[in-house]
């Protein structure tokens, strides 16, 4: 759809460079770079958490103890600011070793510059206190994950490589091998080939299980970093709404420019030409009535064309049939202008809000226009229904496929428009078709 459909005609095949591994993931895990990065993250967590915990407890205790004096407030603010700095380092460490992208939290909001304003902003910021909570909670978890990871790693690799170094015991320790049991009268060593092989196999199992255990441990670290060191859900929602507001403003400005351009280049130009033709006809009315009549007839045709352009422009702004009769009639009218047969089915218990109804109409209208221009389809269908608190739209065609949501395309513009009202656009368009575009809009009655 849009220009993306044109890619379906060129039979362009993309090479998938992803290499297929011959070994299953369970056998590859101990040797993958990701497993070693996660193990390195767990190893570094212990000393870093000790430093963070010591700093946070010392500074907060000092600030709390000095609250009886004026010095306690700036000391406590400095403690929270330091925790924010430590949190920034933790985000960098998680990004480098865990491939975890965490956005920067909301900055301090100060109404006026100055030390007092900065101190108040730090103490009032929920982000500062969440960073402090991270430094306190991360320490016991880092101790636990360090002990578990190192224990499993050491046991696994030492037992798995036991056939390579068991000779150390009889040569330097004076015993046959690893001692399993011993008392004053009897001792059991792992010293024969069968026991050595079983020991190595047990070590292999530990080695294969260690990466997955470490991965499970780092999942908790991911939750801590994402939940406590990233932006709060409220601030993320504010940023999203600000972005959506910018999209709405840009879309409205683009629509106004389009309307102005259509009026200037279309109906306005025709009306200017009509006025000139009528002026010439008026001058020739007494001298050459036949020429004047012919010019009036041509002007009459220009009036019809200008009226049709004005109707099309008004329909593009907001069609009257949508206001009067709703989505069913409006989408049927749009489908009748499509170059391929379109089956329209609208199943709604009642009409949604006018704004949502308008966005749904223009979404289907643009998708059908793209089908007419680019799909090469023989048939198409439009389904509209309500699911819980969502208005669902689905447009399908049996064309060439290959539609993609990419920057600068019509589908990308539709995605931005729907996103401005918390909507979603999903495109399923394999090469060769069929194409299915599903849109979700919030139901607002």
């Amino acid at each position: 759809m849009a220009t993306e459909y044109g890619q379906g005609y060129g039979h362009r095949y993309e090479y998938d460079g992803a290499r297929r591994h011959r070994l299953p993931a369970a056998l590859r895990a101990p040797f993958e770079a990701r497993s070693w990065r996660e193990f390195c993250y767990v190893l570094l967590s212990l000393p870093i958490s000790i430093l963070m915990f010591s700093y946070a407890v010392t500074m907060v205790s000092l600030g709390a103890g000095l609250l009886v004096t004026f010095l306690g407030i700036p000391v406590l603010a400095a403690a929270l600011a330091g925790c924010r700095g430590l949190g920034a380092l933790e985000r960098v460490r998680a990004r480098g070793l865990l491939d975890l992208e965490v956005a920067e939290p909301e900055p301090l909001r100060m109404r006026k510059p100055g030390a007092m304003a900065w101190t108040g902003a730090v103490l009032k910021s929920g982000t500062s206190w969440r960073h402090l909570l991270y430094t306190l909670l991360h320490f016991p978890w880092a101790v636990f994950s360090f002990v578990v990871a190192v224990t499993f790693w050491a046991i696994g690799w030492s037992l798995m490589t036991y056939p390579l170094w068991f000779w150390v015991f009889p040569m330097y320790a004076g015993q046959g091998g690893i001692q399993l049991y011993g008392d004053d009268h009897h001792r059991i060593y792992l010293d024969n080939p069968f026991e050595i092989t079983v020991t190595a196999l047990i070590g292999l199992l530990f080695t294969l299980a260690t990466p997955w255990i470490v991965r499970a441990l780092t999942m908790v670290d991911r939750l801590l970093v994402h939940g406590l060191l990233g932006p709060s859900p409220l601030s993320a929602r504010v940023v999203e709404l600000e972005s959506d507001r910018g999209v709405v403003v840009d879309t409205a400005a683009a629509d106004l420019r389009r309307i102005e351009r259509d009026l200037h280049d279309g109906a306005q130009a025709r009306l200017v030409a009509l006025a000139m033709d009528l002026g010439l006809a008026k001058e020739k009315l007494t001298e050459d009535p036949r020429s004047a009549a012919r010019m009036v007839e041509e002007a009459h045709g220009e009036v019809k064309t200008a009226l049709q352009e004005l109707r099309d422009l008004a329909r593009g702004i907001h069609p009257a049939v949508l206001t009067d009769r709703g989505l069913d009639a409006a989408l049927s009218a749009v489908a009748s202008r499509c170059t391929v047969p379109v089956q329209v089915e609208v199943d709604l218990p009642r009409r949604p809000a006018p704004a949502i109804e308008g966005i749904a109409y223009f979404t289907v209208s643009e998708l059908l226009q793209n089908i007419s221009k680019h799909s090469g389809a023989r048939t198409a269908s439009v389904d509209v229904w309500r699911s819980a608190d969502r208005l669902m739209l689905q447009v399908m065609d049996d064309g060439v496929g290959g539609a993609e949501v990419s920057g600068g395309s019509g589908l990308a513009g539709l995605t931005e428009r729907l996103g401005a009202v918390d909507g979603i656009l999903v495109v399923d368009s394999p090469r060769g078709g069929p194409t299915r575009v599903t849109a979700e809009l919030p139901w607002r009655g």
Side-chain angles (χ1 to χ4, degrees):
M1 307 178 88
T3 56
E4 296 85 3
Y5 267 115
Q7 299 173 358
Y9 295 104
H11 301 289
R12 178 173 59 87
Y13 298 96
E14 295 182 358
Y15 173 72
D16 183 8
R19 182 182 60 179
R20 293 184 178 181
H21 296 281
R22 295 182 179 180
L23 291 176
L27 298 180
R28 292 197 316 268
F31 309 100
E32 287 183 333
R34 175 184 176 181
S35 300
W36 288 98
R37 288 198 306 268
E38 291 173 343
F39 184 66
C40 181
Y41 182 90
V42 173
L43 293 181
L44 292 175
S45 292
L46 181 60
I48 292 176
S49 65
I50 293 175
L51 293 176
M52 293 192 302
F53 184 83
S54 301
Y55 169 83
V57 171
T58 302
M59 292 295 293
V60 171
S61 300
L62 179 61
L66 292 176
L67 281 178
V68 294
T69 67
F70 179 75
L71 295 177
I73 295 178
V75 171
L76 190 57
L80 295 177
C83 291
R84 292 177 70 107
L86 294 174
L89 294 178
E90 283 293 275
R91 288 192 297 272
V92 173
R93 189 166 70 98
R95 186 182 304 116
L97 296 178
L98 299 182
D99 293 330
L100 177 63
E101 292 291 337
V102 179
E104 295 289 333
E106 58 272 18
L108 296 176
R109 298 182 180 273
M110 296 184 294
R111 296 182 179 180
K112 56 182 180 180
M116 294 299 298
W118 176 84
T119 301
V122 172
L123 294 175
K124 293 179 182 179
S125 173
T127 300
S128 303
W129 294 100
R130 284 190 287 113
H131 281 64
L132 172 63
L133 182 62
Y134 175 84
T135 60
L136 299 178
L137 293 180
H138 189 257
F139 173 67
W141 174 252
V143 174
F144 174 79
S145 59
F146 180 89
V147 172
V148 172
V150 172
T151 300
F152 272 83
W153 186 89
I155 291 176
W157 283 96
S158 61
L159 294 183
M160 188 176 66
T161 58
Y162 182 59
L164 303 178
W165 56 272
F166 81 98
W167 54 268
V168 173
F169 290 95
M171 182 171 293
Y172 296 103
Q175 62 186 42
I178 297 178
Q179 181 176 330
L180 286 182
Y181 173 79
D183 54 23
D184 295 338
H185 307 285
H186 185 67
R187 290 179 177 85
I188 299 177
Y189 298 103
L190 300 175
D191 53 1
N192 61 62
F194 175 76
E195 295 173 345
I196 293 174
T197 302
V198 172
T199 302
L201 292 177
I202 294 175
L204 177 62
L205 294 178
F206 271 87
T207 303
L208 295 177
T210 299
W212 304 102
I213 295 174
V214 173
R215 192 158 301 172
L217 295 173
T218 56
M219 287 301 297
V220 178
D221 290 281
R222 294 171 187 270
L223 294 176
L224 288 174
V225 173
H226 188 272
L228 297 178
L229 301 185
S232 64
L234 180 60
S235 65
R237 181 60 176 165
V238 169
V239 172
E240 181 182 355
L241 291 176
E242 291 177 348
S243 176
D244 292 344
R245 182 181 62 183
V247 172
V248 171
V249 172
D250 294 341
T251 301
D255 289 339
L256 288 176
R257 289 192 298 268
R258 177 182 58 81
I259 294 171
E260 181 183 7
R261 182 177 64 252
D262 292 342
L263 285 174
H264 183 271
D265 298 339
Q268 181 180 350
R270 291 188 181 278
L271 291 175
V272 171
L274 173 63
M276 295 177 62
D277 291 342
L278 290 176
L280 293 175
K282 180 180 178 181
E283 293 178 358
K284 292 188 176 183
L285 185 61
T286 57
E287 301 175 0
D288 190 357
R290 289 186 177 181
S291 298
R294 186 178 67 254
M295 297 178 68
V296 170
E297 184 177 357
E298 293 175 354
H300 184 256
E302 289 291 327
V303 169
K304 292 183 177 179
T305 304
L307 287 175
Q308 183 61 39
E309 290 182 354
L310 288 174
R311 290 192 190 99
D312 294 339
L313 182 59
R315 187 183 297 113
I317 297 174
H318 194 84
V321 65
L322 178 62
T323 303
D324 298 336
R325 301 174 57 189
L327 273 176
D328 195 353
L331 295 182
S332 298
V334 173
S336 65
R337 297 193 296 270
C338 189
T339 58
V340 301
V342 181
Q343 180 181 358
V344 179
E345 183 175 349
V346 178
D347 183 14
L348 296 177
R350 60 181 183 274
R351 295 180 62 175
I356 300 300
E357 197 174 50
I359 294 175
Y361 169 82
F362 287 111
T363 299
V364 175
S365 178
E366 184 162 349
L367 291 175
L368 291 180
Q369 186 177 6
N370 292 338
I371 291 176
S372 299
K373 293 181 179 179
H374 308 291
S375 70
R378 295 184 299 274
T379 60
S381 64
V382 176
D383 293 317
V384 182
W385 71 97
R386 179 181 178 180
S387 176
D389 60 345
R390 307 291 285 182
L391 175 63
M392 308 295 296
L393 313 172
Q394 189 173 86
V395 179
M396 297 181 58
D397 68 78
D398 58 356
V400 296
E404 297 176 357
V405 180
S406 56
S409 69
L411 291 179
L414 281 179
T415 302
E416 292 180 353
R417 288 197 176 196
L418 294 176
V421 292
D422 291 337
I424 301 173
L425 186 73
V426 179
V427 179
D428 180 17
S429 181
R431 302 288 179 181
T435 295
R436 179 186 291 106
V437 180
T438 305
E440 293 186 18
L441 288 166
W443 180 271
R444 297 170 185 168

